[in-house]
Amino acid sequence: MKFSSTTVACLLLLSSGLQAAVFELENSSDDLIGSPATAFSRYEDTFIEIGRSNNVGFEELRMANPDVDPWLPGDGTEIVLPAEFILPAADRRGIVVNVPEFRIYYFYAVDGISYVATSPVSVGRMDWATPVGVTGIVAKVRNPSWYPPQSVLDEHAAEGRKLEKIVPPGPDNPLGEYALRLGLPGYLIHGTNRPAGVGMQVTHGCIRLFPEDIAWLFPRVDLNTPVRIINQRLKFGWRGDDLYLEVHPALEGAAEDESSDMTLITREYVKVTGDQAADVDWELVAQVYKAQTGLPVRIGSRTSPLSDAGLLGQTGE
């Protein structure tokens, strides 16, 4: 895969295939991390290969490149890489998993300097939704055995596939080489023996990482590390005086919010702006909401508290 010359620097960490993308949180008031990035596909590439080599997930790539065939992008096609993220609206401690974003964030500090690492994840499919809530890491296991719940055993049996009640460590174990057990009974953050599925809605509710990402995360996470599993399709965030919006599609099978689109947007806007008014391009906001590419888009900037160009002035409400 050939990278454009303007994006090589920001892709070095992502394309190493060795660990999650790590960013220093230099300004605690900033919500945006990373930089825009692109790559050029080879004739044999699919989004699975492009995602693995750049540490991004399949669905992320598909949403960011709606006009590109994910199975046959073609030789020399420019691919937008999701390498810029608005941090979720959650306590920046420990692990945060944003389910519709297919992303995990790990907030930590070294020698007094704050960092965040982020990686793509797979989440629960329609009939095995990953639960939303606050929990923590209660156990860490290297080379875990897998004890499939009865529901999974029954599912395999109904499909005529035999599944042992205990799957030992090894190449046939879907947990991979590392597992972080959550306080939610039966749920794990773990690796995989099938990395092609990372970044999709395919698990039985667990949170699945690329093998290299869980290998990086596992030794850095302590027992009792807080874990917040959230469902934030819309993320507003600041970088300096600029306001950004990032929108992701709802997961298949997810409960629908009966609020109107404008109500959803306004609610999240008020959370991020508070008393600070912003000069916002509301037509662009509507376009970003409709496109749902998962990419941050600059939609406005700060204004004086006395300005009437904020939300009420723009919507006429």
Side-chain angles (χ1 to χ4, degrees), residues 98-144:
N98 190 16
V99 179
E101 189 182 356
F102 296 96
R103 279 248 147 215
I104 187 172
Y105 295 85
Y106 174 48
F107 297 90
Y108 65 103
V110 177
D111 297 329
I113 301 175
S114 296
Y115 298 90
V116 60
T118 184
S119 307
V121 299
S122 293
V123 299
R125 65 191 198 214
M126 182 173 61
D127 49 344
W128 295 87
T130 299
V132 172
V134 179
T135 182
I137 304 298
V138 298
K140 299 174 58 175
V141 186
R142 293 178 182 268
N143 298 314

Side-chain angles (χ1 to χ4, degrees), residues 11 172 205 247 300:
L11 291 178
D172 296 327
V247 182

Side-chain angles (χ1 to χ4, degrees), residues 36-190:
T38 60
F40 291 92
S41 61
R42 302 169 300 185
Y43 73 94
E44 70 270 26
D45 282 333
T46 70
F47 278 11
I48 288 176
E49 287 82 21
I50 295 171
R52 181 73 184 277
S53 63
N54 291 282
N55 203 22
V56 297
F58 180 87
E59 288 296 333
E60 290 180 294
L61 280 175
R62 193 170 68 85
M63 293 300 103
N65 298 273
D67 298 324
V68 180
D69 185 339
W71 304 110
L72 191 66
D75 189 33
T77 300
E78 186 173 23
I79 306 297
V80 175
L81 298 175
E84 188 176 34
F85 315 96
I86 296 175
L87 295 175
D91 193 2
R92 296 180 185 178
R93 292 189 304 116
I95 291 173
V96 176
V97 179
N98 190 16
V99 179
E101 189 182 356
F102 296 96
R103 279 248 147 215
I104 187 172
Y105 295 85
Y106 174 48
F107 297 90
Y108 65 103
V110 177
D111 297 329
I113 301 175
S114 296
Y115 298 90
V116 60
T118 184
S119 307
V121 299
S122 293
V123 299
R125 65 191 198 214
M126 182 173 61
D127 49 344
W128 295 87
T130 299
V132 172
V134 179
T135 182
I137 304 298
V138 298
K140 299 174 58 175
V141 186
R142 293 178 182 268
N143 298 314
S145 294
W146 182 40
Y147 300 84
Q150 187 61 49
S151 55
V152 175
L153 293 171
D154 293 343
E155 179 186 56
H156 278 67
E159 296 173 353
R161 296 184 293 149
K162 181 176 175 56
L163 180 62
E164 301 295 337
K165 292 186 177 181
I166 301 176
V167 180
D172 296 327
N173 189 314
L175 302 184
E177 298 180 359
Y178 303 93
L180 300 168
R181 189 171 300 280
L182 300 178
L184 300 170
Y187 292 96
L188 307 167
I189 298 172
H190 62 81

Side-chain angles (χ1 to χ4, degrees), residues 7-17:
T7 61
V8 170
C10 64
L11 291 178
L12 289 178
L13 184 59
L14 291 176
S15 61
S16 67

Side-chain angles (χ1 to χ4, degrees), residues 208-250:
R208 181 190 302 174
L209 281 72
F210 281 131
E212 57 269 21
D213 289 334
I214 191 67
W216 182 89
L217 181 66
F218 185 88
R220 291 171 170 81
V221 173
D222 297 324
L223 292 178
N224 300 317
T225 294
V227 177
R228 293 165 178 82
I229 305 174
I230 62 176
N231 185 347
Q232 289 182 10
R233 290 183 50 230
L234 280 71
K235 297 190 296 179
F236 282 94
W238 295 100
R239 175 177 276 172
D241 289 330
D242 292 326
L243 183 62
Y244 289 77
L245 172 61
E246 177 182 321
V247 182
H248 299 265

Side-chain angles (χ1 to χ4, degrees), residues 235-316:
K235 297 190 296 179
F236 282 94
W238 295 100
R239 175 177 276 172
D241 289 330
D242 292 326
L243 183 62
Y244 289 77
L245 172 61
E246 177 182 321
V247 182
H248 299 265
L251 291 176
E252 184 179 1
E256 293 291 333
D257 190 323
E258 296 181 358
S259 303
S260 68
D261 294 347
M262 193 60 204
T263 298
L264 292 173
I265 293 169
T266 302
R267 186 169 63 203
E268 298 305 315
Y269 171 87
V270 170
K271 287 180 184 178
V272 76
T273 56
D275 295 332
Q276 173 62 68
D279 184 8
V280 173
D281 183 340
W282 291 100
E283 290 187 5
L284 179 58
V285 168
Q287 294 171 17
V288 173
Y289 183 83
K290 181 178 180 180
Q292 300 183 4
T293 64
L295 301 172
V297 177
R298 182 186 176 279
I299 50 90
S301 59
R302 296 184 196 273
T303 60
S304 165
L306 298 179
S307 171
D308 62 354
L311 177 62
L312 298 182
Q314 292 291 327
T315 63

